[in-house]
Amino acid sequence: MEDDFTYVIRKALRGLSLAPGQAASRAGLAESEVMGMIRGKFSETAARRLAPILSLDAEALARLPGYQPKPMALSQVERLEIPFEDGQVNAWIIRVNGIIVLFDAGFSDTSIALTLDAAGISKIDAIFITHDHRDHVGGLNEVLKRGPLHSMRPGDSVALGPLTIHSFDLSGHCDNSLGYLIDGLEKPVCVVGDALFAGSIGGCPPETYKSALAHLHRGVFSLPEETVLLPGHGPATTVGEEGISNPFFP
């Protein structure tokens, strides 16, 4: 998992411009209890009382320490885990009927080159970028040696063999972020970048926090529950699983 409950609480506090003491007072908790949660000391009782103050789902937040989405089983989708500082960032490969499509370009030319070489990928038919943060575009020069970039705007669609890729607005964590809905695979698949993680969302400043959630509600949570979600960090998940287990969507 990319985020644990401490990140969820901190992201909600930041998005709502609430100090821990303010949230504690409104929840009827001691500030030390909220600070304990932020520092990794989980309390189900405190989580349930804090959740409505942070506009989070109480049941989902209470269960979050044990949440893990079911493993993805899609033969046409491959997760590339690329080293990034002290963690990893995802790029996603779609292979169908001899066509190879790449979503995001990793942190550096060196790291994406090594990862693509290990996966046996020398030619890419199309490259799509979710957003322009360094860990997702740092290797763009390298991937452009292997295939063409498709620049998309919200509402655009492109056909690639049996695939149709639709772009939509997921701005919030980053300006001009795009999600990509892919039709033509065995299940509907949606690449969400850093807009959403399993059990969490990408961090947002207060001025974009509510619009980020609104974009996710409209663009992602209107999709069928079986839709597979491919995030920029952490494991794949589904619309159905996140609708139950992601605290940001009560």
Side-chain angles (χ1 to χ4, degrees), residues 3-4 12 19 31 68 74 124 126 133 141 151-152 155 159 173 191 227 235 240:
D3 286 356
D4 62 14
E31 184 173 354
Q68 184 73 37
L74 282 178
I124 301 169
H133 284 173
N141 286 336
S151 296
M152 305 276 277
H173 169 72
V191 182
T227 303

Side-chain angles (χ1 to χ4, degrees), residues 2-23:
E2 173 65 12
D3 286 356
D4 62 14
F5 67 90
T6 67
Y7 284 89
V8 167
I9 292 169
R10 282 185 282 160
K11 287 178 177 180
L13 286 168
R14 180 191 179 202
L16 296 172
S17 295
L18 278 177
Q22 291 175 298

Side-chain angles (χ1 to χ4, degrees), residues 104-185:
D104 284 344
F107 176 63
S108 70
D109 288 334
T110 300
S111 61
I112 192 68
L114 290 171
T115 303
L116 291 172
D117 288 346
I121 298 170
S122 58
K123 181 179 180 297
I124 301 169
D125 295 283
I127 301 158
F128 297 88
I129 298 297
T130 60
H131 63 296
D132 64 3
H133 284 173
R134 169 66 189 278
D135 51 329
H136 296 266
V137 297
L140 189 56
N141 286 336
E142 173 60 32
V143 300
L144 287 174
K145 298 175 184 176
R146 306 180 189 225
L149 175 68
H150 283 252
S151 296
M152 305 276 277
R153 294 178 297 179
D156 288 350
S157 296
V158 62
L160 296 163
L163 304 177
T164 303
I165 298 171
H166 311 275
S167 63
F168 61 95
D169 192 358
L170 280 182
S171 299
H173 169 72
C174 177
D175 292 340
N176 303 316
S177 293
L178 292 175
Y180 296 100
L181 177 63
I182 306 167
D183 292 328
L185 299 173

